[in-house]
Structure formats: C-alpha cells, structure tokens
Amino acid sequence: MFLPYCHSQEKISDGFQAVFDCLKNLDPEHDADEKLWQTRHKVVVRYTVPPGVIPEKDNYQVVWKYYREKRFFRYLFRPSLAFREWKGYKNVEDLGIPCAKVLAAAENRCGARLLDSVFVTEMVQCDGDGDDFCPGGKLKNSLDLAQEFAKKNLCWLAKLHKNNFVHGGFTPRNELYILDPDPANGQLQVVWIDLATCRKVPFYKRKKLQKKDVDCFLSMLKFPPGIETGLRQIYLEELKKNG
C-alpha cells in the first residue's frame, strides 16, 4: 500500500523544471539577490533566474521559500508546509482570487522524516504590502487608499469563507497592493501571498476561525470605529451575495 509523504518528491509547474534544477543547488543564505524574510526555521529570498534558462524572459524573478525542518516527527506521513502552501494557492486560484503564480514545491525526506522543503512563486511586481497602511507605515495617512485596500481584501475573504475555507494568516502583510495609474481599472489592486494555512475546516470550527481572519486583519489597520464598522458590514454583505 502506498503511503503519501514518505519519500522525497517535487511538484513543478509546466515549463519551470529547468529553472528549478538551476536554482535548487544555490544557498539561500549567500546566493540570493535579496533576503525578504527570515525566522528560525524559514528563509524567504528573491532570485533572478540566470540569462538563457528561460530564453523568452529576461530578468525573471522568483520568491524562494526554504524551510529547515527540525521537528522530526511532526510531518511523518503528513505534507510539509511547502506542499500545504501549494494546495492553499491552488484553492485560492480556483476561486478566482488574485494571488502570486505558483511555480514549485518540493520535499526532501529521509524515509518518512522531513528534512527540509521548498516553495516557489513568481515575484509579484507590486507597490508594497498592507503594512504600509498600518500605524508607522509609509501610507498610514492615506485613509482612502487604506479603505480601498481593506474593502477589496475583505470582499475576496468573504468569497473564500463562503466556500468553507479559512485563511489562517490574514494579516495586512500577506496582501500585496498594486497602484493602477488608469482610473478605469480602479485605484488599487490586491494580490495574496503566504497561503500555507489556507484550508477547509469542519463546520463546527469554521465560524470561529473565519471571525478570527476578519478580526486579525482589521485590528492591525487601526481604522476609526465608524470606518471599521462599515468595512465589517461590507464583508457581511459580500458573504451573503456570494451565496
């Protein structure tokens, strides 16, 4: 009987295998163009694909997320965070929610024990993330833009929730924004990233966790009470509309 997640394996998007093979032997600590984020067990970096690997694309950039796994039994016969994130992105993409393009996920195992894993997306050329609208951010005084950012994200979140998912990490930092110079397209577009905790949950947990998504997101943006109430109402109306 075949047991999943008991050996090393890769998921590679069409056309990305050569790029993955080129980059997977690099050291994220020393060979990356830029370190975007780092925690005790995770490093997130930006790589520029070497010229010629993708002939039709110059200066193609990817985000490479590398997990060093030290909890030896947590992922026995269970997917790594990299594979969970692959699934989270695919679920969001299937719902039509804008997110970064998924390129690869890979697990390195010794038998069933996870050693490390990698998750790769295309680099989103954006103007920033939602932290810019939080206290201390560079756009903290741009209330109209902050409201538009919040409204668009909450509308997408309502669609996610209506389909029985929770995000699990719905913070302003995990939503990017793009300012569109053409007013016909709207002043601001959003793109989601970091979806390792996005998943379906049993109905008896769903309401509590979905409320947590909304509360976490709005608590960090620190809107005046009247504006926050209005945004919560927009979310609730969108939740009914999507039904």
Side-chain angles (χ1 to χ4, degrees):
M1 177 180 174
F2 174 74
L3 293 174
Y5 310 111
C6 62
H7 58 86
S8 300
Q9 55 185 315
E10 299 175 350
K11 293 177 181 284
I12 310 294
S13 295
D14 292 344
F16 192 69
Q17 186 69 60
V19 181
F20 186 80
D21 291 342
C22 176
L23 298 178
K24 67 182 180 181
N25 294 320
L26 299 181
D27 183 352
E29 296 281 2
H30 302 102
D31 299 328
D33 297 331
E34 179 185 6
K35 187 177 291 184
L36 304 173
W37 188 256
Q38 183 167 11
T39 63
R40 184 180 177 188
H41 298 300
K42 178 175 73 174
V43 178
V44 184
V45 300
R46 174 176 59 84
Y47 283 131
T48 299
V49 176
V53 178
I54 308 179
E56 67 277 14
K57 293 184 180 180
D58 293 325
N59 197 36
Y60 186 67
Q61 298 181 336
V62 302
V63 175
W64 188 278
K65 188 178 295 185
Y66 172 71
Y67 293 96
R68 310 179 189 88
E69 189 48 61
K70 302 300 182 185
R71 293 162 289 188
F72 295 131
F73 301 106
R74 183 169 184 175
Y75 297 105
L76 288 176
F77 308 114
R78 297 175 63 197
S80 64
L81 285 174
F83 272 25
R84 290 182 187 184
E85 189 150 20
W86 175 286
K87 186 173 182 180
Y89 267 88
K90 291 300 185 184
N91 289 331
V92 165
E93 187 179 65
D94 288 346
L95 292 174
I97 298 172
C99 60
K101 181 181 178 181
V102 179
L103 298 173
E107 295 182 340
N108 178 30
R109 293 179 181 264
C110 180
R113 181 165 67 87
L114 182 65
L115 302 177
D116 54 47
S117 59
V118 167
F119 181 73
V120 190
T121 63
E122 189 172 83
M123 182 75 182
V124 178
Q125 301 303 320
C126 66
D127 293 287
D129 62 49
D131 273 358
D132 290 346
F133 302 108
C134 294
K138 65 182 182 181
L139 296 176
K140 62 180 180 179
N141 296 320
S142 301
L143 189 57
D144 288 344
L145 274 179
Q147 288 183 75
E148 186 174 358
F149 173 81
K151 178 181 176 181
K152 289 190 174 180
N153 277 297
L154 288 171
C155 287
W156 288 124
L157 185 67
K159 185 169 188 177
L160 187 78
H161 287 174
K162 193 63 181 179
N163 283 275
N164 301 325
F165 290 92
V166 298
H167 189 291
F170 201 65
T171 66
R173 180 181 294 119
N174 288 339
E175 286 78 53
L176 309 178
Y177 67 90
I178 302 168
L179 298 176
D180 197 320
D182 184 353
N185 297 327
Q187 196 172 9
L188 177 147
Q189 306 299 320
V190 300
V191 179
W192 285 12
I193 58 171
D194 288 343
L195 294 165
T197 54
C198 180
R199 66 203 186 280
K200 280 194 173 181
V201 293
F203 71 92
Y204 57 87
K205 293 183 177 181
R206 197 172 296 149
K207 187 173 181 180
K208 179 180 178 180
L209 293 176
Q210 290 178 345
K211 181 178 183 298
K212 185 177 179 181
D213 278 346
V214 178
D215 290 347
C216 181
F217 179 74
L218 288 174
S219 68
M220 294 183 178
L221 289 167
K222 304 292 185 185
F223 286 111
I227 292 177
E228 181 173 324
T229 299
L231 289 167
R232 288 181 182 274
Q233 187 60 37
I234 288 171
Y235 162 80
L236 292 173
E237 290 172 358
E238 196 69 20
L239 199 63
K240 296 175 183 177
K241 186 190 303 183
N242 286 337

